[in-house]
Amino acid sequence: MMKNTQKKLKAKQFRYLNKDTVKNPMIYIHNFYRYETNVIYWMNNINLFIQAGCLPEMADRAHAETGFHCKQMIEQIEIAYVIFKQCHIPKQKNPLQFVAQREDHFNYTHNLEYTWKGKRAPYDTISKFFSYQSLNKWYTTMDDLMIYMSTKESSYYDKFGDKILAIKELLIRLAFALYYIYEDKHLQISVPSYVKAEPAPVHEGKSRLSKLGELIHDSIDKQYEEKERKEKEEAEKEAEESKEEEQIALEKGGEISIESEDSAK
């Protein structure tokens, strides 16, 4: 019988993760995308951070919370690494190949959606992310960006060169990959047809919110529920209106057809 020699991940291996988020990355993913920000705002913050790290002249020192955003990005990298290791995601030879078919290009340019072979693929994105460089190298990259943006002149931007384009693209794609996991409430992985996966018991986490935290989260949850209810009602209303319009169009088409026949006679 073969032994599983892979060591379990522990919180002390990371800068910011705790025991709960290492055991269940969904705790972090849910909290971040439901309570802290949305993916478009987050993408914009990543863009601003990379710009400031490459060219300090572009840094918004008066308003941007660059240090806090750097910490958040490192947290996301760590969460992705936990998923990468726990799910035994393999590495790729060409991690910067982002387009597999025409549909991926269209989704990227027209829908602001990151897909692989026409489908959202967080699994593939996480594979690319850590195929490009290791967790330790990502730590170094983020630290360097933070250091360089603290200078007033762009004497260090050659440190990254063209690689900064790949770094920015991978960070943004990772943000969307985790968001897709949040939306789907799981990470979908392809397995052979003879394999039946049984998920481990869900780890809910032991840390409790304060009374104020509970009130804030309850308020946000109610806002989301109200928003989802309104969106559902609007979708149903649009579907009903569309159905009525189609019916009217069909009836008018019938009238025109009858009139045409009468004219012919």
Side-chain angles (χ1 to χ4, degrees):
M1 184 177 178
M2 292 181 66
K3 291 184 179 180
N4 185 359
T5 57
Q6 185 175 2
K7 294 181 180 179
K8 284 188 176 181
L9 296 174
K10 296 182 180 179
K12 64 181 180 181
Q13 295 173 239
F14 303 98
R15 291 187 185 180
Y16 302 118
L17 300 189
N18 57 41
K19 290 181 180 179
D20 290 334
T21 50
V22 170
K23 286 184 177 179
N24 183 5
M26 289 301 296
I27 294 173
Y28 167 86
I29 291 171
H30 176 81
N31 286 340
F32 184 81
Y33 288 104
R34 189 168 182 88
Y35 300 115
E36 293 190 31
T37 188
N38 69 48
V39 72
I40 302 300
Y41 295 164
W42 183 226
M43 177 184 70
N44 292 337
N45 284 326
I46 293 172
N47 267 320
L48 290 174
F49 179 84
I50 297 296
Q51 288 174 8
C54 295
L55 292 169
E57 294 89 341
M58 296 180 71
D60 180 4
R61 303 181 193 282
H63 306 100
E65 299 175 345
T66 50
F68 179 61
H69 292 149
C70 182
K71 176 181 178 291
Q72 287 181 310
M73 276 180 261
I74 292 173
E75 283 177 333
Q76 292 215 329
I77 292 169
E78 291 179 339
I79 281 293
Y81 184 77
V82 171
I83 296 170
F84 176 71
K85 299 301 285 186
Q86 288 180 347
C87 296
H88 307 286
I89 298 176
K91 291 184 178 181
Q92 302 180 23
K93 289 183 179 179
N94 301 307
L96 299 183
Q97 185 180 350
F98 296 121
V99 178
Q101 58 193 43
R102 183 177 179 82
E103 192 174 354
D104 299 323
H105 177 80
F106 182 86
N107 288 335
Y108 184 87
T109 56
H110 290 70
N111 300 330
L112 189 58
E113 191 171 47
Y114 298 88
T115 60
W116 180 253
K117 296 182 179 178
K119 296 180 180 179
R120 291 179 173 186
Y123 179 92
D124 179 74
T125 299
I126 293 171
S127 171
K128 283 178 166 59
F129 194 87
F130 291 107
S131 297
Y132 182 73
Q133 60 183 23
S134 66
L135 174 63
N136 285 333
K137 287 186 178 179
W138 277 111
Y139 279 141
T140 301
T141 296
M142 300 306 295
D143 291 343
D144 286 345
L145 284 166
M146 195 65 211
I147 291 168
Y148 299 157
M149 74 173 60
S150 65
T151 63
K152 293 184 178 180
E153 296 180 359
S154 54
S155 57
Y156 293 101
Y157 71 91
D158 283 336
K159 163 79 176 179
F160 297 104
D162 295 341
K163 288 184 178 179
I164 197 62
L165 298 174
I167 290 167
K168 185 178 82 166
E169 186 69 16
L170 285 164
L171 284 169
I172 290 174
R173 284 178 176 269
L174 183 67
F176 272 86
L178 297 180
Y179 175 70
Y180 295 154
I181 294 173
Y182 162 72
E183 277 202 324
D184 296 338
K185 296 182 174 61
H186 65 271
L187 172 66
Q188 185 168 333
I189 299 175
S190 296
V191 296
S193 59
Y194 59 85
V195 174
K196 182 180 179 182
E198 292 186 5
V202 176
H203 179 77
E204 299 290 352
K206 296 179 181 178
S207 55
R208 297 186 63 183
L209 295 170
S210 64
K211 289 293 182 183
L212 177 60
E214 288 178 0
L215 288 171
I216 292 171
H217 279 217
D218 287 344
S219 174
I220 294 172
D221 283 335
K222 287 177 182 177
Q223 289 176 18
Y224 269 92
E225 288 171 4
E226 181 65 17
K227 181 183 176 183
E228 289 169 356
R229 184 185 65 78
K230 286 182 179 179
E231 287 176 350
K232 184 179 179 182
E233 288 178 355
E234 288 174 2
E236 290 175 351
K237 186 178 178 181
E238 287 178 4
E240 187 64 29
E241 289 175 352
S242 177
K243 189 176 179 181
E244 289 176 0
E245 288 173 0
E246 287 177 4
Q247 185 63 33
I248 292 169
L250 286 171
E251 290 174 358
K252 285 185 176 179
E255 290 173 3
I256 293 169
S257 177
I258 292 169
E259 288 175 2
S260 298
E261 288 176 4
D262 291 341
S263 298
K265 290 178 181 178

